[in-house]
Structures are given as C-alpha cells and as structure tokens.
Amino acid sequence: MTLLNQIREPSFKLSKSAKKVAEVILQNPDEVIHSSVAKLAVLSKVSEPSVIRFCHKFGCTGFPDFKVQLAQSLATAMPQITRDVDENDSLETMIEKIFDSTHATLQLTQAASDLPSIEKATDALAQANSILFFGLGASGPVALDAQHKFFRINTPVIAHLDILNQRMTSANLTSRDVVVCISYTGRTIALIETARIAKKCGAEVIGITSPNSPLAKECSIVLEVETPEDTDMYTPMTSRIAHLVLIDVLVTAVALKRGPQFSEHLLRIKESFAETRINKAEF
Amino acid sequence: MTLLNQIREPSFKLSKSAKKVAEVILQNPDEVIHSSVAKLAVLSKVSEPSVIRFCHKFGCTGFPDFKVQLAQSLATAMPQITRDVDENDSLETMIEKIFDSTHATLQLTQAASDLPSIEKATDALAQANSILFFGLGASGPVALDAQHKFFRINTPVIAHLDILNQRMTSANLTSRDVVVCISYTGRTIALIETARIAKKCGAEVIGITSPNSPLAKECSIVLEVETPEDTDMYTPMTSRIAHLVLIDVLVTAVALKRGPQFSEHLLRIKESFAETRINKAEF
DNA sequence: AAAATATATGTAATAAAATTACATAATAAA
DNA sequence: TTTATTATGTAATTTTATTACATATATTTT
C-alpha cells in the first residue's frame, strides 16, 4: 500500500499530535513534499520531534526519506480523473489525454475492486456448467473478448451480442449456469430484463457494470466499474477497458483455480496455432 | 517532460562534472533519492557544490527539491515490464500484477507511438470511402470494437472477423478504401495474405501490430505495439488493450478532424439511446 | 601564441535542517 | 491517589545543504 493511503487508513492508531500532522499532510501533500520539518511542525502546530516521530511511525528512516516516499506515492496517485479532449488539442496532447484517462480509469477500477465479490465470481465461474457473456452496443466486443479468453481455458462459454439470443438463452438456464452481464451504464432496459429472467431460472448472474445501477440490483454478484458521468462528446469510453481488465482477472483466477493440469491444455492450444503462423525463426 | 528524461536528454549541454553526476543518477536513481549531497558527490567524484549546481541546472531550488522531483519522476517511470502471474499468488497480488502489466503495456505503447504514422493513419481514415477492420482470434473483438466506435462517428465501416469475408472484401477494394489489420503477433499467415491482396488493389493498409513483423512489412502505415515475448502461460494479453487505446486515438482524431458539425451527429446518436435506457433521474 | 575573459570546479566557512537526549506533561492502570 | 506508561516539547547536537570565495580550466581576442 502506498504511503498516502497508509496515512489515510483510519485503523492506524495515531496520537493526538500525529493526527494533526496527518491532517496537514493529507490536506496539502504537494506543499509538504517541499517543506522542512520546521515548516510542517508549524503548520500542524506540533513540535519538530513530533513530526519526525510521525515519519518513523510509517516506517521511514527520517523526514527526508518520508518526503521522498510521499512524493512517490503522490506521483502514482490518481491523475486528473478525466482529461476531456478538446477541439483544438494538438494530436500529441490528444494522445496524452487519452492515455492518461485510461490509466486513471484503471486505477479507479483497481481501487474500487472488491476482493470478496471477485472471489465469489471466480468460484461461480470455475464451477459453472456453462458460462454466458451478454453485452450490447459497446459492450458487445467486450463480451466477445471474454468468450475468446474463456474458450482458451477450455470452458463451455458463449457470448451473445443481441437481445433475442440473450433472452432465449436466459429462459432456459439452470442453477448450474453463470451469466455475466456487461454494461457500461447498467441502464439498458433489455439487458436488465434478461438478467431478471436469468435470475428467476436460478442462474448465477454476475454484473460488470456501474455501481448502484438498475442492472447491478438484478445481479447476484456485482463487479463495479465507476462510470465517470458522460462528460465530453469526444471522451473515449475508457470504462470498457476497465471491463476487459476485469475479465482478464476473472479468466486468470479461474485458470489458476483449476491448477496445473490445465497448463497442459493451454500448451496444446498454443501448439495448434503454430501452423497458422509464420515462425519467428524462419522469418 | 519528467526530470529523469530531462537528465537523459543529450541536447542538454552539461559540464564535465555535471555529466559525472548525471551518469551516477541515471545508473542508480533509487539509491540517489535516499542519499545526501555528500554521498552523491563522492559517488560521482565531484565536489558537493557541483552536485548542487547540477540540481539548479534542472530548475530545482536545491538538492532536497531535486530528490523529491526525481522520486516523482521515478514513480511514473515504467513499472516492471511484465509481472507474470504465479500459481501461488493470492487473488490480491494477482489483481495487482494484471493491472500493473496493463499500465506498463500502455506506457510502452504511448512511448513508442509515432506521431507521423498516426497522423497519416487518421488522414487516410478521415478521407476513406469505406473502412474495414480485420482481426482474427483475440483481435476479433478489437476489430468489432473499432467498428462500433467508427460507426458512432457516422463512418462507413465494417469489421470482418473471419478469413473468408476478409479475403473476399479485400479483393474488391479501391484506392479510396482503408483497411486496418489488427494482429498481436503480426505472424498470422491468413491476415498477411489478406493485407497483400488489399495493397495490390491499391487500398491503404494500416497495421496495428508488432514492429518488424511480416504483417508490418505488408502495410503502408504501421502503428506499432510492442509484443512482450509470450512469457508465461497465464500472462494476460495486455497488448489487445493497447490496440484498443490506439483505436480510441484514431477515432478521436478522425472525429476532431471532421470538426464541430459532427458533434451534432454524436448528439443525435446519444438521444437515440434514450428510450432503450432507464434514466438516472427516474431511477 | 599570449593575454584577457569567461566558465567551471573545488575548498572552506556558514547557514539551515534534521535528529537526539532529556525533561515535563498527559494519560491509563493499579 | 499513586505509579507506570505514553506522549509531547525544549534545547543541545549532529548532520546536511548552501554560499562565498579562490583556483583552475577552457575560450576568445588581439
């Protein structure tokens, strides 16, 4: 865990003066990394040794060391949540903004990721008789990607990208099936209804979607991806990338859960590719 | 530009002793951020004031300030290129590794991104009569995602995910068409041949693929995505995420190039979604 | 090529910052 | 209430950073 988060952590018991110091640091960390012990002591209204003791509490050898670590933790802290692309951005800054936004989305998603939910989801997936991925519109490709990945680890999986197939399949599910509904907003009516049907059939319904959305309420397990309110027109939908990474997590977890006997299967798949490819050596 | 890169920058004229200092810093920056002036002076075999002068040269107010900035620049520097997932990783560390790898891939891709190529690609796409996205296997969903995004900015676009359709379409292209071939390895024989056919027809062939791959050689414009050699079995294919972000860049660039009259079109699309969704307000 | 000027580097003094030792106050336990 | 424990601050000390100045090195001009 990064230093900044450690300071935030309320479970870390701090003395009265230490709290004051923490307060000031969290309030304006940018200023603190350029301050001296004396300055921080004055700002927090404590003595200089108290500041140093504070640093030691967080495993730093001293104040300079603390500053350095704080600076690092600050640099990895969330960048500008979303930097909307502007009509008169240069190509270069546009690229920068898009990459930045993607990094930010990933960080948010990781920070918000709920271990128990992921655990539950992988358990369900690992035991499933069959796995269904449902996505519409922009989430269609995501569902397809999931299908591809689960297929590679030898799982009975299908992705459906249209309402009809989704609904037809849902109506015939059993408690041994798992449905994963992927939706950016979690407000697409058709998908919500499908989720409801699937749940009624007793299937496990996993949602990769926006927290507290109508879809989320229909799901038995929710993997939350924060949706930054539809900001600008040109803002790319970075959240679908978060969805993909979450699917990476699920696939990997399931593969690991199945253990080493499956690496053999993966190897076989890799070999089957060989003849469709130009080998690096012969090229 | 980050401090570390500034120090690397050879155009920055440095004096003899300054060079020695730079050398040491670049060699082991992690150690430097925990050193004192004296220590760094000894390591670089210069006097202490020389070290401080060095700091001033890079716009720092002093050595502590320099350390802090170096620490920040170090934190944003490329993380471990790929952290392979291990069979006995906890769920938590596995998640961490996957996210880290994704960040790293993105950073690599951004660093390697070639502005002129992207410029050329967007020009071609903006003027194209029709745009084709070709992808096989894991790149299928990527092609589909591209289709979806370009469709949203009202472009005549189709994605083909199977060899037959790809080849059929390629044979009938004209110089006003643009094909985008997406391939992780750039060694899938079928796709390489398709690219060749398309080029023969005079179409512009853009490749989103591994540099210097056979596919890359068949393309008129290449957007390179480094493929970290197929490391571990469980390593997720983070590069497809890099592909997606590159497509974000292309779409956004094309949309911007078309100018404001197109935002109107985007608005219309957004409105057309309204009735398929549960509104946030009424929920 | 020598002198003059500018630039770079180091030595030693000085200032600033961080840390420690110790004393005192606050708090909790007996 | 007393005693032990913990927290905090004052003042001394040490370490670290910086500056002023002198010397050396390189560059330009005559």
Side-chain angles (χ1 to χ4, degrees):
Chain A
M1 196 194 283
T2 172
L3 181 58
L4 206 60
N5 289 328
Q6 256 181 301
I7 299 175
R8 278 203 196 93
E9 192 68 39
S11 63
F12 224 100
K13 282 270 173 291
L14 292 178
S15 69
K16 222 181 284 176
S17 60
K19 270 180 201 154
K20 290 191 215 164
V21 178
E23 183 88 2
V24 172
I25 293 171
L26 292 174
Q27 220 56 227
N28 31 17
D30 297 285
E31 202 181 327
V32 171
I33 58 174
H34 294 111
S35 304
S36 63
V37 176
K39 195 169 164 192
L40 179 53
V42 169
L43 283 173
S44 349
K45 289 167 191 163
V46 299
S47 68
E48 302 191 11
S50 290
V51 170
I52 286 169
R53 281 189 278 259
F54 180 89
C55 300
H56 287 151
K57 234 175 207 143
F58 288 94
C60 301
T61 66
F63 184 70
D65 180 43
F66 178 83
K67 278 204 297 187
V68 163
Q69 293 202 219
L70 185 64
Q72 292 204 318
S73 128
L74 219 56
T76 28
M78 254 150 258
Q80 311 81 326
I81 291 310
T82 356
R83 302 178 56 194
D84 283 344
V85 175
D86 201 79
E87 322 230 345
N88 28 27
D89 279 341
S90 74
L91 183 61
E92 195 166 7
T93 61
M94 186 211 79
I95 292 174
E96 210 177 290
K97 284 183 175 179
I98 289 183
F99 274 88
D100 275 9
S101 301
T102 310
H103 281 293
T105 305
L106 287 177
Q107 284 184 353
L108 269 177
T109 307
Q110 187 179 3
S113 72
D114 177 52
L115 278 182
S117 299
I118 295 177
E119 188 86 59
K120 264 172 72 187
T122 52
D123 277 344
L125 289 168
Q127 292 162 21
N129 239 5
S130 72
I131 301 174
L132 287 305
F133 281 96
F134 293 170
L136 293 167
S139 299
V142 179
L144 209 60
D145 183 82
Q147 177 188 39
H148 182 264
K149 299 196 120 241
F150 273 92
F151 179 74
R152 282 190 67 161
I153 61 165
N154 202 25
T155 312
V157 60
I158 301 183
H160 284 305
L161 315 189
D162 62 307
I163 312 185
L164 242 67
N165 281 327
Q166 287 170 5
R167 200 174 288 211
M168 266 163 50
T169 317
S170 300
N172 296 299
L173 291 174
T174 75
S175 62
R176 309 218 38 204
D177 300 313
V178 176
V179 176
V180 184
C181 295
I182 306 167
S183 168
Y184 175 64
T185 58
R187 307 180 175 282
T188 313
I189 295 169
L191 197 62
I192 299 170
E193 282 174 7
T194 311
R196 199 174 294 140
I197 294 170
K199 203 163 77 174
K200 206 171 275 173
C201 294
E204 185 89 55
V205 181
I206 302 175
I208 300 185
T209 188
S210 169
N212 302 111
S213 62
L215 175 59
K217 309 226 159 154
E218 296 297 333
C219 300
S220 43
I221 304 171
V222 181
L223 307 182
E224 306 186 344
V225 176
E226 197 65 60
T227 47
E229 279 309 313
D230 64 337
T231 43
D232 192 39
M233 201 123 268
Y234 296 120
T235 305
M237 290 186 32
T238 48
S239 63
R240 85 193 186 296
I241 289 182
H243 291 176
L244 286 169
V245 177
L246 277 183
I247 284 167
D248 275 349
V249 169
L250 293 179
V251 180
T252 311
V254 171
L256 287 179
K257 197 156 264 173
R258 295 247 183 101
Q261 74 267 26
F262 269 84
S263 23
E264 205 186 303
H265 166 77
L266 285 175
L267 256 182
R268 246 179 292 133
I269 284 210
K270 230 171 210 174
E271 278 163 15
S272 79
F273 280 157
E275 57 193 49
T276 71
R277 297 235 171 96
I278 295 179
N279 197 288
K280 194 147 205 177
E282 50 186 279
F283 172 60
Chain B
M1 195 194 285
T2 171
L3 180 60
L4 206 61
N5 288 327
Q6 257 182 302
I7 299 174
R8 280 204 195 90
E9 192 68 36
S11 64
F12 224 98
K13 283 271 172 291
L14 292 178
S15 69
K16 219 179 290 175
S17 60
K19 268 180 203 154
K20 289 190 216 164
V21 178
E23 183 87 4
V24 172
I25 293 171
L26 292 174
Q27 221 54 228
N28 32 16
D30 297 287
E31 203 180 327
V32 171
I33 58 174
H34 295 110
S35 303
S36 64
V37 177
K39 194 168 165 193
L40 179 52
V42 170
L43 282 173
S44 358
K45 289 168 192 164
V46 299
S47 69
E48 302 191 11
S50 290
V51 170
I52 285 167
R53 281 188 278 260
F54 179 88
C55 300
H56 288 151
K57 234 175 206 143
F58 288 94
C60 301
T61 65
F63 183 71
D65 181 44
F66 177 84
K67 277 204 297 187
V68 163
Q69 294 202 218
L70 184 64
Q72 293 205 318
S73 124
L74 218 58
T76 29
M78 251 149 259
Q80 311 82 322
I81 292 309
T82 355
R83 302 177 57 195
D84 283 344
V85 175
D86 200 80
E87 323 229 347
N88 29 25
D89 278 342
S90 73
L91 184 60
E92 191 165 10
T93 63
M94 186 213 79
I95 292 174
E96 208 177 290
K97 283 183 176 179
I98 289 183
F99 274 88
D100 275 9
S101 302
T102 310
H103 281 293
T105 306
L106 287 177
Q107 284 185 353
L108 270 177
T109 307
Q110 186 180 6
S113 71
D114 178 52
L115 277 184
S117 299
I118 294 175
E119 187 86 59
K120 264 172 71 187
T122 52
D123 278 345
L125 289 169
Q127 290 162 23
N129 241 4
S130 70
I131 302 175
L132 286 304
F133 281 96
F134 292 172
L136 293 168
S139 299
V142 179
L144 210 60
D145 183 81
Q147 176 189 40
H148 183 262
K149 299 195 120 239
F150 273 93
F151 179 75
R152 281 191 69 159
I153 62 165
N154 202 25
T155 312
V157 59
I158 302 183
H160 284 306
L161 315 190
D162 64 309
I163 313 185
L164 243 68
N165 282 326
Q166 287 170 5
R167 200 175 286 211
M168 267 164 49
T169 317
S170 299
N172 294 300
L173 292 174
T174 75
S175 63
R176 310 218 38 206
D177 300 314
V178 177
V179 176
V180 184
C181 294
I182 306 167
S183 168
Y184 175 64
T185 58
R187 307 179 175 281
T188 313
I189 296 169
L191 196 62
I192 299 170
E193 282 173 8
T194 311
R196 199 177 292 139
I197 294 170
K199 204 164 77 176
K200 208 172 269 170
C201 294
E204 185 88 57
V205 182
I206 301 175
I208 300 185
T209 187
S210 169
N212 304 110
S213 63
L215 175 58
K217 308 227 159 148
E218 296 296 334
C219 300
S220 43
I221 304 171
V222 182
L223 306 183
E224 304 186 343
V225 176
E226 198 64 60
T227 49
E229 278 310 314
D230 66 337
T231 44
D232 192 40
M233 201 123 269
Y234 297 119
T235 305
M237 288 185 34
T238 49
S239 62
R240 87 195 184 295
I241 288 182
H243 291 177
L244 286 169
V245 177
L246 278 182
I247 283 166
D248 276 349
V249 168
L250 293 178
V251 180
T252 311
V254 171
L256 287 179
K257 198 157 262 171
R258 296 246 181 100
Q261 73 270 25
F262 270 83
S263 24
E264 204 187 305
H265 166 77
L266 286 175
L267 255 183
R268 245 179 293 134
I269 283 210
K270 229 169 213 177
E271 279 163 14
S272 80
F273 279 156
E275 57 193 50
T276 71
R277 297 236 171 97
I278 295 179
N279 196 288
K280 195 150 205 176
E282 50 185 281
F283 172 59

